[in-house]
Amino acid sequence: MGVMDITNFAHGEYLMLSLYASFWLFEFFHIDPYLSVLLVIPLMFLLGLLTEKFLIRPTIGKPMFIHIFVTLGLSVILQNLALLLWSGNFRTIQVPFATHTINFGDISISTPRLIIFMVTLTVAYLIHLFLNYTWMGKAIRATSQNRNSAQLMGININRVFMVTFALGTACLGIAGPLLMPIYYVYPTIGFQFVLVAFVAVVMGGLGSVKGAVLASMLIGIIETLSGYFLDPAMKQAIYFLLFILVLIFKPSGIFGEEGKVV
Amino acid sequence: MLIIRGLSAGYGDIQVLHEVNLTVDKGELIALLGANAAGKTTLINCISGLVKETSGTIEFEGDAINALTAYERVNRGLIQVCEGRNLFPLMTVAENLQLGAYSQRARQRIKENLEMVYSFLPILFERRKQKAGSLSGGQQQMVAIGRGLMADPKILMLDEPSLGLAPVISQAVFETVQKIKEQGVTILLVEQNVVKALQMASRGYVLENGRINSSGSAGELLDDDGVRKAYMGI
Protein backbone atom coordinates (compact mmCIF):
# COMPACT_ATOMS: atom_id res chain seq x y z
CA MET A 1 0.00 0.00 0.00
CA GLY A 2 2.76 2.41 0.93
CA VAL A 3 4.99 1.33 -1.94
CA MET A 4 2.60 1.61 -4.84
CA ASP A 5 0.24 4.24 -3.46
CA ILE A 6 -2.45 1.77 -4.33
CA THR A 7 -5.12 0.49 -1.97
CA ASN A 8 -6.27 -2.93 -2.98
CA PHE A 9 -9.93 -3.11 -2.04
CA ALA A 10 -10.00 -6.70 -3.21
CA HIS A 11 -7.44 -7.75 -0.59
CA GLY A 12 -10.15 -9.41 1.53
CA GLU A 13 -11.38 -11.36 -1.50
CA TYR A 14 -7.91 -12.77 -2.01
CA LEU A 15 -8.07 -14.03 1.56
CA MET A 16 -11.45 -15.54 0.69
CA LEU A 17 -9.88 -17.30 -2.31
CA SER A 18 -7.03 -18.51 -0.14
CA LEU A 19 -9.53 -19.92 2.41
CA TYR A 20 -11.49 -21.66 -0.35
CA ALA A 21 -8.26 -23.03 -1.80
CA SER A 22 -7.34 -24.71 1.46
CA PHE A 23 -10.98 -25.79 1.93
CA TRP A 24 -11.16 -27.55 -1.44
CA LEU A 25 -7.71 -29.05 -1.10
CA PHE A 26 -8.96 -30.62 2.13
CA GLU A 27 -12.33 -31.71 0.71
CA PHE A 28 -11.04 -33.28 -2.48
CA PHE A 29 -7.55 -34.41 -1.64
CA HIS A 30 -7.68 -34.55 2.17
CA ILE A 31 -4.65 -32.34 2.39
CA ASP A 32 -4.24 -30.99 5.89
CA PRO A 33 -4.39 -27.16 5.92
CA TYR A 34 -1.01 -27.00 7.64
CA LEU A 35 0.36 -28.85 4.63
CA SER A 36 -1.71 -27.17 1.94
CA VAL A 37 -0.24 -23.84 3.00
CA LEU A 38 2.83 -24.88 1.01
CA LEU A 39 0.65 -25.13 -2.11
CA VAL A 40 -1.53 -22.11 -1.47
CA ILE A 41 1.39 -19.68 -0.99
CA PRO A 42 2.82 -20.10 -4.51
CA LEU A 43 -0.70 -20.16 -5.92
CA MET A 44 -1.55 -16.83 -4.28
CA PHE A 45 1.83 -15.38 -5.26
CA LEU A 46 1.15 -16.27 -8.89
CA LEU A 47 -2.35 -14.85 -8.69
CA GLY A 48 -0.87 -11.63 -7.30
CA LEU A 49 1.66 -11.41 -10.14
CA LEU A 50 -1.07 -11.81 -12.75
CA THR A 51 -3.42 -9.34 -11.05
CA GLU A 52 -0.70 -6.71 -10.85
CA LYS A 53 0.37 -7.18 -14.45
CA PHE A 54 -3.06 -7.11 -16.04
CA LEU A 55 -5.27 -5.09 -13.69
CA ILE A 56 -3.15 -2.86 -11.45
CA ARG A 57 -0.33 -1.91 -13.85
CA PRO A 58 -2.61 0.01 -16.22
CA THR A 59 -3.91 2.11 -13.30
CA ILE A 60 -0.48 3.27 -12.06
CA GLY A 61 0.10 6.96 -12.58
CA LYS A 62 -3.58 7.51 -13.35
CA PRO A 63 -5.96 9.47 -11.10
CA MET A 64 -6.60 7.76 -7.77
CA PHE A 65 -10.26 6.89 -8.34
CA ILE A 66 -9.29 4.61 -11.24
CA HIS A 67 -7.45 2.08 -9.12
CA ILE A 68 -10.16 2.34 -6.47
CA PHE A 69 -12.81 1.45 -9.04
CA VAL A 70 -10.69 -1.33 -10.51
CA THR A 71 -9.97 -3.03 -7.19
CA LEU A 72 -13.46 -2.41 -5.81
CA GLY A 73 -14.90 -3.85 -9.02
CA LEU A 74 -12.56 -6.81 -8.74
CA SER A 75 -13.77 -7.36 -5.20
CA VAL A 76 -17.42 -7.46 -6.32
CA ILE A 77 -16.61 -9.78 -9.20
CA LEU A 78 -14.69 -12.20 -7.00
CA GLN A 79 -17.43 -12.25 -4.35
CA ASN A 80 -20.09 -13.03 -6.93
CA LEU A 81 -17.92 -15.54 -8.71
CA ALA A 82 -17.47 -17.37 -5.42
CA LEU A 83 -21.21 -17.19 -4.79
CA LEU A 84 -21.92 -18.60 -8.23
CA LEU A 85 -19.36 -21.38 -8.04
CA TRP A 86 -19.50 -22.38 -4.40
CA SER A 87 -22.86 -20.99 -3.15
CA GLY A 88 -23.35 -18.75 -0.14
CA ASN A 89 -23.11 -21.57 2.41
CA PHE A 90 -20.77 -21.27 5.34
CA ARG A 91 -18.27 -24.03 4.85
CA THR A 92 -15.87 -25.43 7.37
CA ILE A 93 -13.59 -28.39 7.74
CA GLN A 94 -13.49 -30.88 10.57
CA VAL A 95 -10.01 -31.53 11.82
CA PRO A 96 -9.30 -32.98 15.25
CA PHE A 97 -6.76 -30.36 16.30
CA ALA A 98 -9.13 -27.44 15.66
CA THR A 99 -10.20 -27.52 19.31
CA HIS A 100 -6.87 -28.64 20.70
CA THR A 101 -5.53 -26.52 23.53
CA ILE A 102 -2.32 -26.20 25.43
CA ASN A 103 -2.65 -25.66 29.16
CA PHE A 104 -0.34 -23.67 31.37
CA GLY A 105 -1.82 -24.00 34.84
CA ASP A 106 -5.06 -22.03 34.73
CA ILE A 107 -4.47 -20.64 31.26
CA SER A 108 -5.46 -22.64 28.24
CA ILE A 109 -4.46 -21.51 24.79
CA SER A 110 -6.01 -22.71 21.55
CA THR A 111 -3.26 -24.47 19.62
CA PRO A 112 -4.33 -23.33 16.12
CA ARG A 113 -4.43 -19.74 17.34
CA LEU A 114 -1.03 -20.06 18.97
CA ILE A 115 0.34 -21.38 15.68
CA ILE A 116 -1.17 -18.40 13.84
CA PHE A 117 0.38 -16.03 16.35
CA MET A 118 3.83 -17.52 16.02
CA VAL A 119 3.70 -17.79 12.24
CA THR A 120 2.57 -14.14 12.01
CA LEU A 121 5.49 -12.96 14.11
CA THR A 122 7.91 -15.07 12.08
CA VAL A 123 6.57 -13.82 8.76
CA ALA A 124 6.65 -10.20 9.94
CA TYR A 125 10.27 -10.68 11.00
CA LEU A 126 11.16 -12.28 7.67
CA ILE A 127 9.54 -9.36 5.82
CA HIS A 128 11.53 -6.97 7.97
CA LEU A 129 14.77 -8.80 7.08
CA PHE A 130 13.79 -8.92 3.42
CA LEU A 131 13.09 -5.18 3.25
CA ASN A 132 16.28 -4.19 5.05
CA TYR A 133 18.92 -6.65 3.90
CA THR A 134 18.22 -7.66 0.30
CA TRP A 135 18.62 -5.73 -2.94
CA MET A 136 14.99 -6.30 -3.86
CA GLY A 137 13.82 -5.23 -0.39
CA LYS A 138 15.85 -2.05 -0.57
CA ALA A 139 14.53 -1.40 -4.07
CA ILE A 140 11.00 -1.70 -2.70
CA ARG A 141 11.74 0.83 0.06
CA ALA A 142 13.48 3.16 -2.39
CA THR A 143 10.54 3.03 -4.79
CA SER A 144 8.13 3.87 -2.00
CA GLN A 145 10.19 6.92 -1.02
CA ASN A 146 10.94 8.37 -4.44
CA ARG A 147 9.75 6.69 -7.59
CA ASN A 148 11.74 8.82 -10.07
CA SER A 149 14.97 8.54 -8.12
CA ALA A 150 14.47 4.80 -7.89
CA GLN A 151 14.39 4.59 -11.69
CA LEU A 152 17.54 6.69 -11.93
CA MET A 153 19.26 4.12 -9.67
CA GLY A 154 18.52 1.49 -12.30
CA ILE A 155 15.57 -0.04 -10.45
CA ASN A 156 12.91 -1.62 -12.63
CA ILE A 157 9.94 -0.20 -10.77
CA ASN A 158 7.42 -2.30 -12.66
CA ARG A 159 9.13 -5.37 -11.29
CA VAL A 160 9.14 -3.83 -7.81
CA PHE A 161 5.39 -3.24 -8.06
CA MET A 162 4.80 -6.80 -9.23
CA VAL A 163 6.86 -8.38 -6.46
CA THR A 164 5.37 -6.11 -3.80
CA PHE A 165 1.82 -6.89 -4.82
CA ALA A 166 2.48 -10.62 -5.13
CA LEU A 167 4.17 -10.71 -1.71
CA GLY A 168 1.00 -9.18 -0.28
CA THR A 169 -1.19 -11.86 -1.79
CA ALA A 170 1.32 -14.58 -0.87
CA CYS A 171 0.92 -13.56 2.78
CA LEU A 172 -2.80 -14.21 2.36
CA GLY A 173 -1.77 -17.62 1.05
CA ILE A 174 -0.33 -18.22 4.51
CA ALA A 175 -3.31 -16.73 6.33
CA GLY A 176 -6.04 -18.73 4.55
CA PRO A 177 -4.92 -22.27 5.38
CA LEU A 178 -3.96 -21.32 8.94
CA LEU A 179 -7.38 -19.75 9.56
CA MET A 180 -9.33 -22.58 7.93
CA PRO A 181 -9.34 -24.99 10.92
CA ILE A 182 -10.87 -22.39 13.26
CA TYR A 183 -12.98 -20.36 10.82
CA TYR A 184 -15.54 -20.95 8.15
CA VAL A 185 -15.48 -19.62 4.64
CA TYR A 186 -18.20 -17.90 2.61
CA PRO A 187 -18.05 -15.47 -0.33
CA THR A 188 -18.02 -12.23 1.66
CA ILE A 189 -15.79 -13.28 4.56
CA GLY A 190 -12.99 -11.03 3.29
CA PHE A 191 -14.66 -7.87 4.51
CA GLN A 192 -14.55 -9.05 8.14
CA PHE A 193 -10.79 -9.33 8.07
CA VAL A 194 -9.88 -6.53 5.74
CA LEU A 195 -11.61 -3.86 7.79
CA VAL A 196 -9.64 -4.61 10.91
CA ALA A 197 -6.50 -5.05 8.81
CA PHE A 198 -6.89 -1.54 7.42
CA VAL A 199 -7.31 -0.21 10.94
CA ALA A 200 -4.15 -2.02 12.09
CA VAL A 201 -2.05 -0.85 9.14
CA VAL A 202 -3.14 2.77 9.39
CA MET A 203 -2.98 2.86 13.19
CA GLY A 204 0.54 1.35 13.14
CA GLY A 205 1.68 3.81 10.50
CA LEU A 206 1.57 3.16 6.77
CA GLY A 207 4.70 1.43 5.57
CA SER A 208 5.81 0.32 9.03
CA VAL A 209 5.88 -3.45 9.49
CA LYS A 210 6.67 -3.07 13.19
CA GLY A 211 3.76 -0.64 13.59
CA ALA A 212 1.31 -2.98 11.89
CA VAL A 213 2.33 -5.95 14.05
CA LEU A 214 2.10 -3.99 17.31
CA ALA A 215 -1.16 -2.29 16.33
CA SER A 216 -2.79 -5.60 15.44
CA MET A 217 -1.71 -7.12 18.77
CA LEU A 218 -3.08 -4.07 20.54
CA ILE A 219 -6.37 -4.40 18.70
CA GLY A 220 -6.57 -8.10 19.52
CA ILE A 221 -5.99 -7.48 23.22
CA ILE A 222 -8.48 -4.61 23.34
CA GLU A 223 -11.06 -6.65 21.49
CA THR A 224 -10.77 -9.61 23.86
CA LEU A 225 -10.60 -7.63 27.09
CA SER A 226 -13.42 -5.23 26.23
CA GLY A 227 -15.52 -8.18 25.07
CA TYR A 228 -14.90 -9.92 28.39
CA PHE A 229 -15.15 -7.03 30.83
CA LEU A 230 -17.68 -4.76 29.10
CA ASP A 231 -19.96 -6.32 26.58
CA PRO A 232 -19.16 -8.59 23.60
CA ALA A 233 -21.24 -6.28 21.42
CA MET A 234 -18.93 -3.39 22.32
CA LYS A 235 -15.62 -4.99 21.47
CA GLN A 236 -15.26 -3.44 18.02
CA ALA A 237 -16.45 -0.04 19.18
CA ILE A 238 -13.58 0.24 21.66
CA TYR A 239 -10.75 -0.25 19.20
CA PHE A 240 -12.40 1.97 16.64
CA LEU A 241 -12.57 4.65 19.33
CA LEU A 242 -8.84 4.20 19.92
CA PHE A 243 -8.29 4.34 16.15
CA ILE A 244 -10.11 7.67 15.94
CA LEU A 245 -7.98 9.03 18.81
CA VAL A 246 -4.79 7.96 17.03
CA LEU A 247 -5.97 9.63 13.83
CA ILE A 248 -6.69 12.84 15.69
CA PHE A 249 -3.45 13.07 17.65
CA LYS A 250 -1.00 11.32 15.34
CA PRO A 251 -2.48 11.05 11.85
CA SER A 252 0.63 9.33 10.50
CA GLY A 253 0.03 6.39 12.85
CA ILE A 254 1.88 5.21 15.94
CA PHE A 255 5.09 4.35 14.07
CA GLY A 256 4.40 6.42 10.98
CA GLU A 257 7.13 8.67 9.70
CA GLU A 258 6.29 12.33 9.93
CA GLY A 259 5.04 13.75 6.69
CA LYS A 260 3.73 10.43 5.46
CA VAL A 261 0.17 11.23 6.38
CA VAL A 262 -2.46 8.98 4.86
CA MET B 1 29.57 9.39 -26.93
CA LEU B 2 26.16 10.98 -26.61
CA ILE B 3 24.51 12.39 -29.72
CA ILE B 4 21.07 13.98 -29.64
CA ARG B 5 19.36 14.85 -32.90
CA GLY B 6 16.13 16.78 -33.40
CA LEU B 7 14.80 15.97 -29.96
CA SER B 8 11.31 17.26 -29.12
CA ALA B 9 9.41 16.46 -25.96
CA GLY B 10 6.70 17.80 -23.68
CA TYR B 11 4.03 17.06 -21.14
CA GLY B 12 0.53 16.50 -22.48
CA ASP B 13 -0.28 19.30 -24.91
CA ILE B 14 2.61 21.47 -23.85
CA GLN B 15 5.73 21.13 -25.93
CA VAL B 16 8.85 21.89 -23.91
CA LEU B 17 11.73 20.90 -26.19
CA HIS B 18 11.92 21.86 -29.85
CA GLU B 19 14.35 20.02 -32.15
CA VAL B 20 17.29 19.99 -29.77
CA ASN B 21 20.68 18.91 -31.12
CA LEU B 22 23.52 18.26 -28.72
CA THR B 23 26.73 16.23 -28.71
CA VAL B 24 28.93 15.15 -25.85
CA ASP B 25 32.28 13.54 -26.63
CA LYS B 26 34.11 11.12 -24.39
CA GLY B 27 35.99 12.77 -21.53
CA GLU B 28 34.40 16.17 -22.10
CA LEU B 29 32.67 18.37 -19.56
CA ILE B 30 29.79 20.07 -21.34
CA ALA B 31 27.81 22.89 -19.76
CA LEU B 32 24.10 23.08 -20.45
CA LEU B 33 22.95 26.58 -19.58
CA GLY B 34 19.63 28.31 -19.49
CA ALA B 35 17.19 30.20 -17.33
CA ASN B 36 14.45 28.63 -15.23
CA ALA B 37 11.87 26.76 -17.28
CA ALA B 38 14.09 26.74 -20.37
CA GLY B 39 13.73 22.95 -20.55
CA LYS B 40 17.08 21.86 -19.09
CA THR B 41 15.61 19.33 -16.67
CA THR B 42 13.21 18.02 -19.31
CA LEU B 43 16.13 17.49 -21.66
CA ILE B 44 18.15 15.40 -19.23
CA ASN B 45 15.07 13.54 -18.04
CA CYS B 46 14.50 12.71 -21.66
CA ILE B 47 18.06 11.43 -21.98
CA SER B 48 17.55 9.39 -18.77
CA GLY B 49 14.31 7.91 -20.07
CA LEU B 50 12.01 9.44 -17.44
CA VAL B 51 10.31 11.62 -20.06
CA LYS B 52 9.39 10.11 -23.42
CA GLU B 53 10.40 12.18 -26.45
CA THR B 54 7.83 12.91 -29.15
CA SER B 55 10.43 12.88 -31.92
CA GLY B 56 14.17 12.79 -32.43
CA THR B 57 16.90 10.31 -31.57
CA ILE B 58 19.22 9.77 -28.62
CA GLU B 59 22.38 7.87 -29.42
CA PHE B 60 24.70 6.58 -26.71
CA GLU B 61 28.01 4.89 -27.58
CA GLY B 62 26.80 4.34 -31.12
CA ASP B 63 23.42 2.78 -30.26
CA ALA B 64 20.02 4.45 -30.48
CA ILE B 65 18.63 4.18 -26.95
CA ASN B 66 15.18 5.71 -27.49
CA ALA B 67 13.45 2.40 -26.93
CA LEU B 68 15.30 1.56 -23.70
CA THR B 69 13.62 2.06 -20.32
CA ALA B 70 15.19 4.27 -17.67
CA TYR B 71 16.71 1.37 -15.73
CA GLU B 72 18.24 -0.14 -18.89
CA ARG B 73 19.93 3.17 -19.65
CA VAL B 74 21.36 3.24 -16.12
CA ASN B 75 22.73 -0.24 -16.69
CA ARG B 76 24.64 1.12 -19.70
CA GLY B 77 26.35 3.75 -17.58
CA LEU B 78 24.16 6.73 -18.43
CA ILE B 79 23.65 8.24 -15.00
CA GLN B 80 21.71 11.26 -13.80
CA VAL B 81 22.20 13.04 -10.50
CA CYS B 82 18.87 14.73 -10.23
CA GLU B 83 17.95 18.20 -9.13
CA GLY B 84 16.48 18.90 -5.71
CA ARG B 85 18.63 16.09 -4.33
CA ASN B 86 15.93 13.50 -4.63
CA LEU B 87 17.39 11.14 -2.06
CA PHE B 88 15.63 8.35 -0.22
CA PRO B 89 15.09 10.44 2.92
CA LEU B 90 14.20 7.60 5.31
CA MET B 91 17.26 5.56 4.40
CA THR B 92 20.75 6.02 5.76
CA VAL B 93 23.50 7.67 3.75
CA ALA B 94 25.16 4.26 3.32
CA GLU B 95 21.94 2.73 1.99
CA ASN B 96 21.47 5.62 -0.44
CA LEU B 97 24.99 5.09 -1.73
CA GLN B 98 24.48 1.35 -1.98
CA LEU B 99 21.32 1.85 -4.06
CA GLY B 100 23.38 3.98 -6.42
CA ALA B 101 25.08 0.74 -7.38
CA TYR B 102 21.83 -1.13 -7.97
CA SER B 103 22.43 -1.92 -11.63
CA GLN B 104 24.15 -5.22 -12.49
CA ARG B 105 27.00 -3.30 -14.05
CA ALA B 106 27.72 -1.22 -10.95
CA ARG B 107 27.33 -4.03 -8.41
CA GLN B 108 30.53 -5.65 -9.60
CA ARG B 109 32.57 -2.62 -8.57
CA ILE B 110 30.60 -1.62 -5.51
CA LYS B 111 33.54 -1.96 -3.09
CA GLU B 112 36.05 0.10 -5.08
CA ASN B 113 33.46 2.73 -5.86
CA LEU B 114 32.38 3.06 -2.24
CA GLU B 115 36.00 3.56 -1.20
CA MET B 116 36.42 6.17 -3.91
CA VAL B 117 33.25 8.03 -2.85
CA TYR B 118 34.28 8.05 0.81
CA SER B 119 37.76 9.35 -0.10
CA PHE B 120 36.25 12.06 -2.37
CA LEU B 121 33.59 13.04 0.12
CA PRO B 122 34.81 12.13 3.61
CA ILE B 123 31.77 13.82 5.16
CA LEU B 124 29.64 10.98 3.80
CA PHE B 125 31.72 8.44 5.70
CA GLU B 126 31.18 10.38 8.92
CA ARG B 127 27.45 10.56 8.29
CA ARG B 128 27.00 7.11 6.79
CA LYS B 129 24.63 5.87 9.51
CA GLN B 130 22.47 9.00 9.52
CA LYS B 131 19.14 9.23 7.72
CA ALA B 132 19.62 11.11 4.44
CA GLY B 133 16.61 13.29 5.15
CA SER B 134 18.27 14.69 8.29
CA LEU B 135 21.30 16.13 6.45
CA SER B 136 21.84 19.75 5.44
CA GLY B 137 21.22 20.82 1.85
CA GLY B 138 24.91 20.74 0.94
CA GLN B 139 25.43 17.32 2.48
CA GLN B 140 22.37 15.97 0.67
CA GLN B 141 23.84 17.22 -2.59
CA MET B 142 27.07 15.38 -1.75
CA VAL B 143 25.08 12.18 -1.16
CA ALA B 144 23.35 12.66 -4.52
CA ILE B 145 26.69 13.05 -6.28
CA GLY B 146 28.18 10.14 -4.36
CA ARG B 147 25.21 8.02 -5.34
CA GLY B 148 25.83 8.93 -8.97
CA LEU B 149 29.47 7.83 -8.67
CA MET B 150 28.41 4.53 -7.14
CA ALA B 151 26.66 3.79 -10.42
CA ASP B 152 30.07 3.61 -12.12
CA PRO B 153 29.03 6.23 -14.70
CA LYS B 154 30.33 6.48 -18.22
CA ILE B 155 28.51 9.77 -18.52
CA LEU B 156 27.27 11.67 -15.49
CA MET B 157 24.52 14.25 -15.93
CA LEU B 158 24.34 16.69 -13.03
CA ASP B 159 21.19 18.75 -12.74
CA GLU B 160 21.96 22.05 -11.04
CA PRO B 161 24.20 20.67 -8.31
CA SER B 162 24.76 24.12 -6.78
CA LEU B 163 21.07 25.03 -6.61
CA GLY B 164 20.11 26.60 -3.31
CA LEU B 165 23.51 26.14 -1.70
CA ALA B 166 25.58 28.75 0.12
CA PRO B 167 28.51 30.04 -1.99
CA VAL B 168 31.16 28.20 0.05
CA ILE B 169 29.29 24.95 -0.25
CA SER B 170 28.57 25.31 -3.93
CA GLN B 171 32.29 25.96 -4.38
CA ALA B 172 32.95 22.60 -2.72
CA VAL B 173 30.43 20.97 -5.05
CA PHE B 174 32.18 22.42 -8.11
CA GLU B 175 35.53 21.18 -6.82
CA THR B 176 34.03 17.71 -6.50
CA VAL B 177 32.72 17.87 -10.05
CA GLN B 178 36.19 18.89 -11.20
CA LYS B 179 37.70 15.88 -9.40
CA ILE B 180 35.18 13.56 -11.02
CA LYS B 181 36.09 14.95 -14.41
CA GLU B 182 39.76 14.29 -13.70
CA GLN B 183 38.83 10.64 -13.12
CA GLY B 184 37.93 10.49 -16.81
CA VAL B 185 34.16 10.58 -16.38
CA THR B 186 32.28 12.39 -19.13
CA ILE B 187 30.03 15.07 -17.63
CA LEU B 188 26.99 16.98 -18.78
CA LEU B 189 26.60 19.79 -16.28
CA VAL B 190 23.31 21.66 -16.10
CA GLU B 191 23.86 24.96 -14.31
CA GLN B 192 22.48 28.41 -13.71
CA ASN B 193 25.83 29.60 -12.44
CA VAL B 194 27.00 30.35 -15.97
CA VAL B 195 30.46 31.73 -15.23
CA LYS B 196 31.44 28.87 -12.95
CA ALA B 197 30.10 26.24 -15.34
CA LEU B 198 31.87 27.71 -18.37
CA GLN B 199 35.16 27.98 -16.49
CA MET B 200 35.09 24.22 -16.02
CA ALA B 201 33.57 23.21 -19.34
CA SER B 202 35.21 22.75 -22.71
CA ARG B 203 32.02 23.57 -24.60
CA GLY B 204 28.55 24.79 -23.74
CA TYR B 205 25.00 24.94 -25.01
CA VAL B 206 22.47 27.62 -24.14
CA LEU B 207 18.88 26.48 -24.00
CA GLU B 208 16.16 29.09 -24.31
CA ASN B 209 12.44 28.32 -24.44
CA GLY B 210 13.21 24.74 -25.35
CA ARG B 211 15.56 25.58 -28.25
CA ILE B 212 19.33 25.56 -28.41
CA ASN B 213 19.96 29.27 -28.80
CA SER B 214 23.72 29.30 -29.01
CA SER B 215 26.55 26.87 -28.58
CA GLY B 216 30.28 26.92 -28.82
CA SER B 217 33.49 26.63 -26.88
CA ALA B 218 33.39 27.85 -23.31
CA GLY B 219 35.57 30.82 -24.20
CA GLU B 220 33.29 31.88 -27.05
CA LEU B 221 30.22 31.70 -24.88
CA LEU B 222 31.88 33.66 -22.07
CA ASP B 223 32.64 36.43 -24.57
CA ASP B 224 29.26 36.24 -26.32
CA ASP B 225 27.32 39.46 -25.80
CA GLY B 226 23.96 37.72 -25.76
CA VAL B 227 25.03 35.24 -23.11
CA ARG B 228 26.68 37.98 -21.07
CA LYS B 229 23.57 40.11 -21.16
CA ALA B 230 21.12 37.34 -20.45
CA TYR B 231 22.94 35.42 -17.75
CA MET B 232 25.62 37.54 -16.22
CA GLY B 233 23.88 40.87 -16.02
CA ILE B 234 26.79 42.59 -17.74
Side-chain angles (χ1 to χ4, degrees):
Chain A
M1 190 144 67
V3 178
M4 305 171 70
D5 286 325
I6 291 265
T7 308
N8 178 14
F9 286 95
H11 204 64
E13 278 57 53
Y14 282 87
L15 177 63
M16 179 267 290
L17 290 178
S18 167
L19 281 161
Y20 270 118
S22 62
F23 174 80
W24 291 118
L25 283 169
F26 183 81
E27 280 296 295
F28 284 142
F29 306 108
H30 306 288
I31 305 176
D32 189 292
Y34 291 109
L35 221 72
S36 72
V37 71
L38 298 175
L39 282 168
V40 181
I41 293 171
L43 216 62
M44 292 301 293
F45 187 82
L46 194 70
L47 192 65
L49 286 182
L50 294 175
T51 311
E52 200 284 332
K53 192 165 168 58
F54 294 108
L55 290 175
I56 309 293
R57 177 82 49 83
T59 73
I60 288 174
K62 301 269 164 57
M64 190 158 85
F65 63 87
I66 293 186
H67 85 253
I68 295 179
F69 284 156
V70 167
T71 59
L72 213 54
L74 182 64
S75 143
V76 174
I77 290 171
L78 290 176
Q79 281 178 12
N80 285 286
L81 200 67
L83 190 64
L84 189 76
L85 291 174
W86 306 313
S87 85
N89 291 338
F90 283 44
R91 294 169 189 267
T92 184
I93 58 176
Q94 298 298 328
V95 279
F97 51 77
T99 52
H100 189 271
T101 55
I102 299 173
N103 296 304
F104 301 99
D106 288 343
I107 307 165
S108 77
I109 298 171
S110 147
T111 312
R113 283 174 193 272
L114 187 67
I115 291 173
I116 291 174
F117 181 70
M118 291 192 306
V119 170
T120 307
L121 286 188
T122 311
V123 170
Y125 186 63
L126 289 177
I127 291 175
H128 168 82
L129 291 181
F130 170 73
L131 288 177
N132 284 288
Y133 298 104
T134 66
W135 278 105
M136 191 61 195
K138 286 184 187 196
I140 289 174
R141 282 162 63 217
T143 306
S144 83
Q145 289 173 35
N146 193 325
R147 210 173 276 185
N148 268 355
S149 264
Q151 294 185 72
L152 293 178
M153 299 300 107
I155 294 170
N156 178 352
I157 62 167
N158 281 334
R159 207 165 109 209
V160 165
F161 290 154
M162 225 157 117
V163 170
T164 309
F165 194 88
L167 277 178
T169 54
C171 286
L172 297 175
I174 305 173
L178 294 190
L179 284 170
M180 204 53 230
I182 53 168
Y183 263 87
Y184 28 82
V185 57
Y186 55 95
T188 54
I189 190 171
F191 185 71
Q192 236 193 69
F193 287 96
V194 92
L195 190 65
V196 62
F198 270 128
V199 173
V201 168
V202 175
M203 189 149 88
L206 276 186
S208 165
V209 178
K210 185 172 70 177
V213 171
L214 290 177
S216 45
M217 287 212 262
L218 190 66
I219 290 171
I221 292 167
I222 292 174
E223 209 181 357
T224 314
L225 291 185
S226 56
Y228 183 76
F229 287 110
L230 296 170
D231 178 356
M234 288 284 288
K235 61 184 191 180
Q236 282 182 328
I238 305 288
Y239 73 72
F240 269 104
L241 199 68
L242 179 76
F243 180 49
I244 291 169
L245 288 176
V246 169
L247 286 185
I248 291 172
F249 294 106
K250 198 163 185 303
S252 53
I254 299 170
F255 286 95
E257 299 282 349
E258 291 300 324
K260 271 197 107 182
V261 178
V262 189
Chain B
M1 183 175 218
L2 181 70
I3 303 168
I4 290 159
R5 289 193 192 93
L7 195 74
S8 297
Y11 307 94
D13 293 335
I14 305 156
Q15 192 175 355
V16 178
L17 296 177
H18 305 266
E19 305 269 322
V20 170
N21 295 302
L22 185 147
T23 312
V24 183
D25 291 326
K26 199 170 161 58
E28 267 190 315
L29 192 158
I30 298 295
L32 178 62
L33 312 167
N36 276 332
K40 305 186 298 287
T41 299
T42 304
L43 177 55
I44 66 167
N45 277 342
C46 218
I47 300 171
S48 290
L50 292 181
V51 173
K52 190 85 195 115
E53 68 284 336
T54 47
S55 65
T57 57
I58 304 168
E59 204 178 280
F60 181 61
E61 291 188 310
D63 301 325
I65 56 165
N66 296 52
L68 298 185
T69 58
Y71 72 90
E72 288 167 328
R73 296 182 198 197
V74 172
N75 204 21
R76 290 199 176 202
L78 185 78
I79 309 301
Q80 182 190 150
V81 172
C82 51
E83 174 189 40
R85 348 178 208 297
N86 284 287
L87 302 177
F88 305 116
L90 307 177
M91 292 181 156
T92 63
V93 169
E95 281 180 310
N96 268 279
L97 292 176
Q98 193 199 356
L99 277 166
Y102 188 84
S103 68
Q104 289 304 330
R105 199 175 146 268
R107 275 186 216 184
Q108 295 158 3
R109 292 176 38 83
I110 189 163
K111 256 201 175 138
E112 298 99 296
N113 283 335
L114 190 63
E115 270 169 32
M116 179 189 69
V117 168
Y118 281 152
S119 73
F120 265 30
L121 305 160
I123 184 79
L124 299 188
F125 183 73
E126 278 169 44
R127 300 290 161 101
R128 66 190 184 282
K129 287 178 182 155
Q130 223 169 303
K131 290 253 167 78
S134 70
L135 301 180
S136 71
Q139 289 164 353
Q140 291 197 15
Q141 187 58 57
M142 297 299 186
V143 177
I145 294 175
R147 209 169 57 167
L149 289 177
M150 290 298 292
D152 208 22
K154 286 181 186 160
I155 179 165
L156 192 65
M157 302 187 288
L158 293 144
D159 194 358
E160 306 212 26
S162 72
L163 188 76
L165 299 182
V168 187
I169 299 167
S170 70
Q171 184 58 37
V173 169
F174 286 125
E175 277 163 22
T176 309
V177 173
Q178 187 64 42
K179 274 197 245 170
I180 296 169
K181 186 198 165 192
E182 282 157 15
Q183 295 281 306
V185 178
T186 309
I187 295 176
L188 180 62
L189 177 65
V190 176
E191 254 303 324
Q192 291 206 47
N193 186 338
V194 172
V195 178
K196 193 72 219 173
L198 286 177
Q199 279 170 1
M200 295 163 65
S202 53
R203 292 186 298 119
Y205 291 84
V206 180
L207 200 61
E208 214 168 288
N209 296 322
R211 291 185 173 82
I212 296 288
N213 193 296
S214 43
S215 62
S217 74
E220 281 165 19
L221 287 175
L222 272 172
D223 291 335
D224 185 285
D225 279 347
V227 174
R228 291 171 73 96
K229 267 199 190 114
Y231 302 104
M232 300 178 213
I234 308 166

